[in-house]
Amino acid sequence: MAREWVEFIQSQDLPWEQGFVRENIEIKTLSIDDETGASSLLLRYPPGWSTEGVHHLLVDEEFLVLDGDLK
């Protein structure tokens, strides 16, 4: 079964959590599917964050840059 429909989330009221997605990255969990583990998250990268070498994910990731730039 798919995740429940959520009409609106007050994301500003959710806490920022540390580091289980990537080191030094903060996240807010918007939703999690209990059956599949699929989730929707907000990630906050600190200024100047980078990673070395090739980096692969097992999931899709979409970036929306609200401030600054992404290279």
Side-chain angles (χ1 to χ4, degrees), residues 18-34:
Q18 280 292 328
F20 69 87
V21 174
R22 291 189 182 98
E23 189 176 332
N24 299 321
I25 302 301
E26 294 179 308
I27 68 154
K28 287 188 180 192
T29 303
L30 303 179
S31 68
I32 297 178
D33 185 317
D34 292 332

Side-chain angles (χ1 to χ4, degrees), residues 20-23 25 41 43 45 49 51 54-63:
F20 69 87
V21 174
R22 291 189 182 98
E23 189 176 332
I25 302 301
L41 309 170
L43 283 74
Y45 291 82
W49 184 90
T51 186
V54 178
H55 184 78
H56 297 282
L57 297 174
L58 300 176
V59 297
D60 292 332
E61 186 171 34
E62 182 177 327
F63 287 91

